[in-house]
Amino acid sequence: MSTYLPTIKQLQYLVALYEHGHFGRAAEASFVSQSTLSAGIRELESLLGVTLVERSRRVVRFTALGQEVTEKAHRILREAEELSDLVKAAGKPLAGQLRMSVIPTIAPFMLPRILPRLRRERPDLKLMLREETSADAVESLQHGRADCALLALPFATGEVEMAHIADDLLYVALPHDDPRDPPAEIPTSMLEEGRLLLLEDGHCLRDHALAACDRPGLRGSATMIATSLHTLVQMVDNGLGVTMLPQMAIDAGILEGTRVVARPLEEVNAKREIALIWRKNSPRRSDFELLAGELRAG
């Protein structure tokens, strides 16, 4: 066996550069100086005897071989993570560091209710949270930056295992002075084209809301402008339209201080599934199942 093998650190630097496309940002994400990261990648190229990255003043461009090596590095780093996870899984259940990605339409409404109890009852668990969109959360999971992800389904997750947490009903939020006197349940016919306000592209709740409405015309006329549910609520409160909110946000008090009225949508599939997902065949599966149980207990 050759003694001249790439180190985990060198591969981490390479992957960071590929993901960020910039030496400075990659170094910041790796918690090292730019010169340290650059030197590490040069050492890796020297070790392998090839050029992986073409450097210029403005552009970082990976060679074709560099892209192949980076893909392999992703897999090696994921295997290294799983090796570490295997050791952790042999110790105390649901203990040690666990990195969880959570989407923005869940994190502020579910976690404040759950985290205090987790800290009390699982003092050995060091839960590291990162809030990101569903696509970024899945990518973080697949690339080993996260151990698990809490998100809303349906969403394309790839090859993962998952545990159901809850069904989250979708509500229509209307201005308090809506002249139509909204009924106890809102039929989709009450959602006027051009009046539906949704989160901007990248938030899966937008797709869940449009799918629940089952009206193709709404997709083209919906205004996708807000980056948070709180912004949408303020827009509705100011009479700019109507929106869709998950029940967990309403239960968490998102409408407090407003005059917005919320009614459930009158559709069988007007809901999203909250689920915890993790990499297939992860040695920490039992930990994730325990965590899912804690999340379900609320």
Side-chain angles (χ1 to χ4, degrees):
M1 180 182 292
S2 172
T3 58
Y4 300 102
L5 294 174
T7 67
I8 292 294
K9 187 62 68 178
Q10 289 169 341
L11 298 180
Q12 287 173 331
Y13 291 163
L14 183 70
V15 167
L17 182 61
Y18 186 82
E19 291 176 348
H20 294 276
H22 185 275
F23 276 94
R25 290 193 293 271
E28 184 178 353
S30 303
F31 303 103
V32 296
S33 67
Q34 184 171 329
S35 60
T36 297
L37 182 131
S38 181
I41 292 176
R42 286 192 183 279
E43 289 169 3
L44 176 61
E45 290 178 315
S46 177
L47 176 69
L48 298 176
V50 296
T51 298
L52 302 174
V53 182
E54 296 175 1
R55 301 159 176 86
S56 69
R57 280 191 159 187
R58 296 184 179 180
V59 178
V60 173
R61 183 179 292 109
F62 276 68
T63 65
L65 180 59
Q67 292 185 28
E68 289 185 37
V69 171
T70 303
E71 290 176 9
K72 175 69 76 173
H74 271 302
R75 293 195 290 271
I76 292 171
L77 292 174
R78 196 159 56 235
E79 290 286 342
E81 289 277 351
E82 290 178 358
L83 178 65
S84 176
D85 288 344
L86 184 64
V87 176
K88 292 175 184 176
K92 189 174 181 180
L94 205 53
Q97 180 176 292
L98 194 153
R99 301 163 301 169
M100 182 169 73
S101 291
V102 192
I103 62 174
T105 57
I106 293 178
F109 311 115
M110 188 176 186
L111 296 185
R113 186 180 74 250
I114 292 170
L115 292 182
R117 180 175 55 79
L118 267 181
R119 284 193 293 268
R120 288 194 311 270
E121 299 180 4
R122 300 282 184 176
D124 296 323
L125 174 64
K126 307 302 179 186
L127 191 60
M128 312 292 290
L129 301 171
R130 54 191 298 156
E131 187 177 273
E132 48 192 356
T133 64
S134 298
D136 289 340
V138 170
E139 184 180 2
S140 290
L141 181 66
Q142 298 297 353
H143 288 172
R145 295 191 299 270
D147 302 309
C148 60
L150 184 62
L151 43 68
L153 305 176
F155 188 81
T157 59
E159 291 280 324
V160 298
E161 294 186 50
M162 64 180 66
H164 172 82
I165 305 300
D167 286 330
D168 193 21
L169 300 181
L170 296 178
Y171 280 62
V172 179
L174 311 97
H176 78 286
D177 56 355
D178 191 295
R180 296 169 296 178
D181 188 22
E185 292 187 340
I186 305 295
T188 57
S189 58
M190 284 189 66
L191 300 176
E192 300 172 301
E193 294 187 16
R195 293 272 294 164
L196 183 61
L197 307 171
L198 295 174
L199 294 173
E200 66 181 6
D201 211 2
H203 294 271
C204 61
L205 182 59
R206 180 200 65 169
D207 295 323
H208 295 156
L210 290 169
C213 294
D214 195 25
R215 281 181 51 194
L218 283 177
R219 183 174 293 274
S221 67
T223 301
M224 291 163 281
I225 190 170
T227 58
S228 75
L229 293 182
H230 290 88
T231 301
L232 285 177
V233 168
Q234 293 304 314
M235 294 172 72
V236 173
D237 201 25
N238 282 279
L240 300 178
V242 303
T243 194
M244 304 278 282
L245 296 175
Q247 183 177 357
M248 71 164 58
I250 296 171
D251 291 345
I254 196 172
L255 300 182
E256 290 179 7
T258 74
R259 296 179 295 172
V260 174
V261 176
R263 299 283 187 271
L265 187 65
E266 189 184 52
E267 287 292 332
V268 175
N269 295 318
K271 62 184 179 181
R272 58 180 188 163
E273 179 188 3
I274 309 302
L276 185 71
I277 68 170
W278 58 90
R279 289 185 293 275
K280 202 167 186 179
N281 301 320
S282 170
R284 298 190 74 182
R285 177 180 182 179
S286 60
D287 274 350
F288 300 135
E289 290 177 340
L290 282 173
L291 180 59
E294 297 284 2
L295 295 172
R296 280 192 293 269

